[in-house]
């Protein structure tokens, strides 16, 4: 079986009924991998696909929301964002400045500003649910696959949580 959508085209299901769509999207000078997935195409509504298409089309705004959510957690010493920033400072030491796009004197802001949006995964079967509908994956060093921050969004593009990968 398959689902057809104006934005995604024909989404064919696998033998187990799952659907998957993937595309690389330009965001400024970055290339972001966008994946749409669902374990069962019967759980994917047209409204979910419309919401997903809106998020892909508004990737720049979604990225801005994610970074604003990270900045909002910087003052909380127990937040995963703060822990991530401290870990990057400790791990990279003097090499940290090599990863920064701008050095303002505020390391937390500089690190968040310098994070690369690596991917956005849309969990199309979670539309309208309590679990994340989309997950943004950010990394300061794209080669350090384990050192990432994840921004979880609902189907309206509202940030639910910011977590680390571990």
């Amino acid at each position: 079986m398959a689902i057809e959508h104006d934005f995604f085209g024909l989404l064919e299901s696998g033998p187990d009924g799952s659907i998957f769509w993937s595309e690389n999207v330009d965001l400024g000078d970055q290339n972001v991998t966008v994946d749409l997935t669902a374990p069962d195409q019967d759980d994917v509504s047209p409204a979910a696909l419309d919401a997903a298409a809106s998020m892909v089309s508004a990737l720049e705004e979604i990225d801005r929301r994610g970074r604003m959510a990270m900045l909002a957690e910087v003052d909380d010493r127990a937040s995963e964002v703060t822990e991530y920033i401290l870990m990057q400072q400790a791990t990279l030491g003097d090499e940290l400045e090599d990863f920064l796009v701008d050095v303002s004197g505020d390391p937390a802001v500089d690190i968040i500003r310098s994070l690369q949006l690596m991917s956005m995964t849309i969990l199309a079967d979670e539309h309208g649910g309590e679990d994340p509908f989309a997950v943004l994956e950010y990394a300061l060093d794209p080669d350090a696959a384990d050192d990432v921050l994840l921004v979880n969004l609902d189907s309206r593009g509202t940030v639910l949580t910011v977590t680390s990968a571990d």
Side-chain angles (χ1 to χ4, degrees):
M1 293 192 45
I3 301 173
E4 189 158 354
H5 189 266
D6 290 341
F7 183 86
F8 297 106
L10 188 64
L11 297 168
E12 294 192 42
S13 62
D16 60 353
S18 65
I19 60 170
F20 183 78
W21 175 90
S22 185
E23 190 75 34
N24 288 323
V25 177
D26 290 330
L27 178 66
D29 62 350
Q30 296 181 61
N31 195 3
V32 180
T33 301
V34 178
D35 296 327
L36 179 135
T37 184
D40 187 344
Q41 81 169 21
D42 293 337
D43 294 336
V44 179
S45 68
L49 294 176
D50 290 344
S54 293
M55 291 179 99
V56 175
S57 297
L59 188 56
E60 187 173 338
E61 171 61 20
I62 297 294
D63 175 47
R64 188 189 68 74
R65 290 179 196 171
R67 291 175 195 272
M68 294 301 291
M70 287 183 241
L71 284 171
E73 293 192 15
V74 167
D75 290 335
D76 179 359
R77 298 290 297 165
S79 77
E80 292 191 43
V81 174
T82 300
E83 289 178 19
Y84 178 85
I85 290 166
L86 294 172
M87 181 188 69
Q88 293 302 312
Q89 289 173 308
T91 303
L92 297 172
D94 293 337
E95 295 175 13
L96 177 63
E97 285 192 22
D98 296 341
F99 291 91
L100 302 179
V101 295
D102 187 31
V103 179
S104 70
D106 185 339
V109 171
D110 295 343
I111 289 172
I112 291 170
R113 193 180 291 156
S114 301
L115 289 171
Q116 292 184 42
L117 176 56
M118 305 302 295
S119 67
M120 176 168 71
T121 302
I122 300 170
L123 308 164
D125 58 318
E126 296 297 341
H127 183 258
E130 292 182 23
D131 289 330
F133 178 72
V135 180
L136 306 176
E137 180 181 338
Y138 290 89
L140 186 60
D141 178 1
D143 296 328
D146 294 337
D147 295 336
V148 298
L149 281 175
L150 304 173
V151 176
N152 300 296
L153 305 149
D154 67 14
S155 54
R156 294 178 311 279
T158 304
V159 174
L160 300 171
T161 58
V162 180
T163 61
S164 59
D166 53 355

